């Protein structure tokens, strides 16, 4: 049995699919500049062509006159002189004009910007980001192809048939037959609806039939392959695959003592096949919370949540202007502070962070070494108080509000989530007590998370263990303890940053460590909040 070719995987040196939203914006303006350069090239070509046409018209008139009576024409000394001049000088000038290459400027501009262009691996990463959004928010391929995304009030964008085919091919090349089926089926649907495309129906059926076979649906694989044979009887794989599928199906039916039933006539859609399980045990609960489903906010729990003015335990800086504090969850206790950052402070933090943004890392649970991982897709930068008075002021504000010293805290981490950016369920505290990074300042006692943007759709912070979802609100911050008073980790605080569906998500984190908190949050012998 043969299948469509799958290219060898190559590990890239860089991954532009992990660009921040800000860096993606830079690419938009780069493309705009290239379009302007292209227009200038076209204008130059048109100007050159107009000049050549002018020369041709003038010379055409002259040659008609000269060839009508060559001897009479050359009898006039001026005509003889002008002929010599034209052939010696003017035709040389015309040759130089024709040899001019107006594309030089455009090619130079392209060469300058090409180093920042995404490559094939980046395109693959962007496609996988769309599939991640598709899974998390249960969007069928048709919704994506028509640009129908929840919360999208701005620019709409549709996927052409060829786009759907390329999405399916990307999944196929990664042996992700589940998504390959969904996108190839959408490509077929749009082709049957009369949409024009470069790809052929035979190409789509070739990938779709084999992917359906890989999903274990032999009757439908046979039906699709028969359609392929009907279109292209000489197809190099179709005939052999059809015979193989039929033999395999009838062997299974004989072993199970069942009769053949034709494939369902219902079109393949989201839910036709089950998505394969992966490494994340709480995948379904996590994604449900991202969609706002499965929330455990009962009326009884809601009655225990309050809002109040918080003065930082009589902190002098907050006595005259206390912070607005809202309970988000009762146990573990999670609170939200309103108006924590002004618009000007947010802009300054972004301005400082943008030049430093780099692929976010995680600590390998086996080795303790910082590394990148596909379950954390974002860009981050670290800012210290000496960088700008705004950072120093924000650090001081966090200390005033929490009552905890930030002297031993980590630097302020700024994170920006780009296409499908996310951070799957994780703990903020380390579960490796022998980690070298814990020997001096201790474990991460608490998390102070600033939201620096509103998000049109998606991007919630969710806690799968107890079913909570906290939605980004610009200028607010949430705070919780990662450790019990005994110093043991609170495993209920396992949380995730949901993929951004529409919009851009900016946050800044302050992880507060144990050292220096001995009299600010005294230890206890029991695991209590």
């Amino acid at each position: 049995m043969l299948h469509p070719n799958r290219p060898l995987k190559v590990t890239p040196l860089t991954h532009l699919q992990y660009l921040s939203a800000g860096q993606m914006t830079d690419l938009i303006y780069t493309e705009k500049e290239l379009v302007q350069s292209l227009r200038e090239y076209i204008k130059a070509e048109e100007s050159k062509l107009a000049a050549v046409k002018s020369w041709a018209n003038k010379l055409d008139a002259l040659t008609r006159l000269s060839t009508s009576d060559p001897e009479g024409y050359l009898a006039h000394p001026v005509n003889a002189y002008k002929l010599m001049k034209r052939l010696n000088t003017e035709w040389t000038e015309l040759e130089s004009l024709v040899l001019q290459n107006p594309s030089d400027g455009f090619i130079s501009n392209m060469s300058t910007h090409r180093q920042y262009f995404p490559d094939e691996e980046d395109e693959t990463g962007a496609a996988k980001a769309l599939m991640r959004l598709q899974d998390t928010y249960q969007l069928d391929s048709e919704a994506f192809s028509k640009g129908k995304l929840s919360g999208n009030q701005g620019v709409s964008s549709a996927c052409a048939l060829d786009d759907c085919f390329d999405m399916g091919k990307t999944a196929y090349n990664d042996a992700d037959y589940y998504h390959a089926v969904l996108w190839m089926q959408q490509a077929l649907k749009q082709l049957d609806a009369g949409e024009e495309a470069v790809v052929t129906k035979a190409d789509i059926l070739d990938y779709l039939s084999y992917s359906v076979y890989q999903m274990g649906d032999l009757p439908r694989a046979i039906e699709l392959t028969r359609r392929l044979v009907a279109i292209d009887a000489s197809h190099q794989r179709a005939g052999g695959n059809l015979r193989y599928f039929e033999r395999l199906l009838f062997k299974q039916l004989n072993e199970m003592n069942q009769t053949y039933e034709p494939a369902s006539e219902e079109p393949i859609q989201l839910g036709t096949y089950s998505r394969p399980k992966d490494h994340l045990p709480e995948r379904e609960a996590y994604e449900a919370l991202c969609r706002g489903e499965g929330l455990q906010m009962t009326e009884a729990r809601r009655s225990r949540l309050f809002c109040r003015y918080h003065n930082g335990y009589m902190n002098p800086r907050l006595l005259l202007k206390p912070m607005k504090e809202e309970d988000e969850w009762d146990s573990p206790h999670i609170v939200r502070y309103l108006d924590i950052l002004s618009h000007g402070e947010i802009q300054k933090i972004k301005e400082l962070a943008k030049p430093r943004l780099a692929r976010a890392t995680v600590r390998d649970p086996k080795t303790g070494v910082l590394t990148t991982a596909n379950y954390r897709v974002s860009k981050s930068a670290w800012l210290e108080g000496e960088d700008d008075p705004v950072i120093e002021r924000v650090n001081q504000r966090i200390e005033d509000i929490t009552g905890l010293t930030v002297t031993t805290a980590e630097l302020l981490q700024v994170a920006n989530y780009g296409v499908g950016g996310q951070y799957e369920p994780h703990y903020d505290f380390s579960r490796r007590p022998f980690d070298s990074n814990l020997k001096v300042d201790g474990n991460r006692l608490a998390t102070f998370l600033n939201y620096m943007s509103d998000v049109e759709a998606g991007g919630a912070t969710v806690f799968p263990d107890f079913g909570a979802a906290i939605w980004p609100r610009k200028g607010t911050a949430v705070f919780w303890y990662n450790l019990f008073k005994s110093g043991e980790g609170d495993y209920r605080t396992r949380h995730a940053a949901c993929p951004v569906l529409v919009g851009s998500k900016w946050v800044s984190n302050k992880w507060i460590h144990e050292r220096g908190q001995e009299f600010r949050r005294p230890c206890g012998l029991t695991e209590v909040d």
Side-chain angles (χ1 to χ4, degrees):
M1 180 191 59
L2 299 173
H3 55 78
N5 291 333
R6 184 181 299 116
L8 293 174
K9 292 184 178 179
V10 179
T11 302
L13 296 177
T14 59
H15 292 277
L16 292 182
Q17 66 262 35
Y18 302 113
L19 284 177
S20 67
Q23 290 167 313
M24 293 287 283
T25 300
D26 292 340
L27 289 180
I28 291 288
Y29 287 107
T30 294
E31 187 173 42
K32 181 180 179 181
E33 183 179 335
L34 288 175
V35 170
Q36 180 60 34
S37 179
L38 181 60
R39 290 193 177 280
E40 290 173 359
Y41 160 65
I42 293 172
K43 186 177 179 180
E45 285 281 18
E46 289 174 341
S47 177
K48 170 185 170 181
L49 186 58
V52 173
K53 283 182 177 179
S54 176
W55 273 94
N57 292 335
K58 183 179 71 171
L59 293 169
D60 185 48
L62 282 171
T63 53
R64 278 202 307 269
L65 177 63
S66 62
T67 56
S68 63
D69 182 9
E71 290 186 8
Y73 179 82
L74 292 174
H76 197 295
V78 172
N79 287 340
Y81 162 73
K82 291 175 71 175
L83 175 62
M84 296 300 105
K85 178 175 179 289
R86 281 200 305 274
L87 292 174
N88 182 56
T89 304
E90 296 180 4
W91 275 96
T92 302
E93 292 175 2
L94 179 58
E95 181 184 27
S96 298
L97 175 62
V98 172
L99 290 174
Q100 285 179 8
N101 191 352
S103 67
D104 288 345
F106 173 69
I107 297 301
S108 175
N109 206 1
M110 279 283 291
S111 300
T112 300
H113 290 292
R114 190 178 296 280
Q115 59 182 316
Y116 305 110
F117 279 14
D119 58 19
E120 184 176 350
E121 200 71 19
D122 304 318
E123 182 182 341
T124 298
K128 289 181 179 180
L130 289 185
M131 295 173 202
R132 183 160 57 244
L133 293 173
Q134 182 179 21
D135 293 339
T136 303
Y137 298 105
Q138 293 188 343
L139 300 168
D140 60 31
S141 301
E142 184 172 11
F144 257 118
S145 70
K146 294 182 177 179
K148 294 179 179 178
L149 302 181
S150 173
N152 183 18
Q153 304 298 323
V155 178
S156 179
S157 182
C159 289
L161 191 162
D162 289 318
D163 295 328
C164 295
F165 177 79
D166 288 338
M167 286 283 292
K169 194 173 178 180
T170 295
Y172 177 90
N173 289 338
D174 201 42
D176 177 5
Y177 302 109
Y178 171 78
H179 289 106
V181 167
L182 292 176
W183 286 98
M184 288 298 175
Q185 174 66 37
Q186 182 59 32
L188 183 61
K189 182 177 181 179
Q190 292 180 211
L191 186 68
D192 288 341
E195 183 176 331
E196 294 183 1
V198 175
V199 65
T200 66
K201 193 168 188 175
D203 289 333
I204 298 173
L205 289 170
D206 189 16
Y207 281 96
L208 181 57
S209 59
Y210 187 80
S211 298
V212 165
Y213 156 71
Q214 287 289 345
M215 293 303 296
D217 190 348
L218 275 171
R220 199 185 295 264
I222 290 170
E223 185 268 332
L224 291 167
T225 309
R226 285 173 177 168
R227 290 174 63 183
L228 175 55
V229 171
I231 293 173
D232 184 1
S234 62
H235 193 280
Q236 61 176 342
R237 288 181 293 274
N241 284 356
L242 180 59
R243 290 188 292 274
Y244 175 80
F245 293 157
E246 289 175 338
R247 276 200 313 272
L248 193 58
L249 177 61
F250 286 113
K251 179 183 178 183
Q252 291 179 1
L253 292 174
N254 288 334
E255 291 174 352
M256 300 172 66
N257 197 25
Q258 294 179 351
T259 58
Y260 173 74
E261 293 184 7
S264 170
E265 295 183 2
E266 289 293 320
I268 301 170
Q269 55 190 353
L270 197 68
T272 299
Y273 303 120
S274 298
R275 180 157 50 119
K277 300 293 183 182
D278 65 3
H279 65 281
L280 196 61
E282 67 263 64
R283 170 74 65 190
E284 290 184 8
Y286 152 57
E287 292 181 348
L289 288 171
C290 290
R291 297 189 298 271
E293 302 169 5
L295 301 175
Q296 301 301 311
M297 180 58 74
T298 62
E299 287 303 318
R301 171 166 282 117
R302 196 185 304 277
S303 69
R304 297 192 292 270
L305 305 181
F306 300 93
C307 58
R308 64 191 70 82
Y309 283 104
H310 176 70
N311 60 20
Y313 313 102
M314 301 298 289
N315 186 290
R317 279 181 286 267
L318 296 179
L319 283 176
L320 295 180
K321 190 179 180 181
M323 300 300 301
K324 301 171 185 175
E325 182 183 84
E326 296 178 348
D327 291 331
E328 286 281 354
W329 206 259
D330 56 344
S331 180
H333 194 206
I334 303 174
V335 297
R336 186 195 295 261
Y337 295 104
L338 279 60
D339 303 322
I340 192 74
L341 293 175
S342 69
H343 176 74
E345 289 173 329
I346 289 173
Q347 292 303 107
K348 173 53 73 172
I349 293 172
K350 288 183 180 180
E351 177 188 324
L352 294 169
K354 281 180 180 179
R356 311 181 191 186
L357 289 173
R359 174 79 191 279
T361 57
V362 296
R363 195 168 294 280
D364 188 299
K366 295 181 179 179
T367 65
V369 176
L370 288 175
T371 183
T372 58
N374 289 330
Y375 59 81
R376 186 178 192 183
V377 183
S378 67
K379 286 275 192 171
S380 64
W382 299 85
L383 304 178
E384 47 189 321
E386 290 79 5
D387 290 331
D388 193 274
V390 166
I391 308 303
E392 187 63 47
R393 189 161 67 241
V394 169
N395 288 340
Q396 184 62 58
R397 190 176 301 152
I398 293 172
E399 180 169 309
D400 293 343
I401 292 170
T402 62
L404 303 171
T405 180
V406 296
T407 304
T408 57
E410 296 174 40
L411 302 181
L412 188 70
Q413 186 205 53
V414 180
N416 182 215
Y417 295 84
V419 179
Q422 64 163 1
Y423 193 175
E424 290 181 354
H426 62 281
Y427 302 100
D428 277 354
F429 64 89
S430 175
R431 292 167 291 154
R432 293 168 52 88
F434 50 87
D435 273 351
S436 59
N437 63 309
L438 304 181
K439 291 180 180 178
V440 178
D441 296 325
N443 214 331
R444 286 175 170 174
L445 173 66
T447 296
F448 198 97
L449 172 61
N450 297 296
Y451 293 115
M452 303 197 300
S453 65
D454 293 314
V455 180
E456 293 180 56
T461 304
V462 298
F463 295 78
D465 187 78
F466 49 89
I470 299 174
W471 305 95
R473 284 156 56 190
K474 182 179 178 180
T476 69
V478 291
F479 172 76
W480 68 85
Y481 283 101
N482 297 305
L483 306 179
F484 290 110
K485 287 187 176 181
S486 64
E488 296 296 319
D490 187 346
Y491 283 82
R492 298 173 299 171
T493 61
R494 183 171 169 85
H495 61 286
C498 295
V500 175
L501 179 59
V502 180
S504 174
K505 181 181 177 184
W506 284 87
V507 298
S508 57
N509 293 286
K510 194 72 173 178
W511 286 296
I512 301 172
H513 283 248
E514 293 176 286
R515 186 181 179 189
Q517 320 299 346
E518 292 82 359
F519 299 103
R520 295 173 183 250
R521 195 200 189 215
C523 296
L525 297 179
T526 59
E527 293 184 349
V528 294
D529 293 344

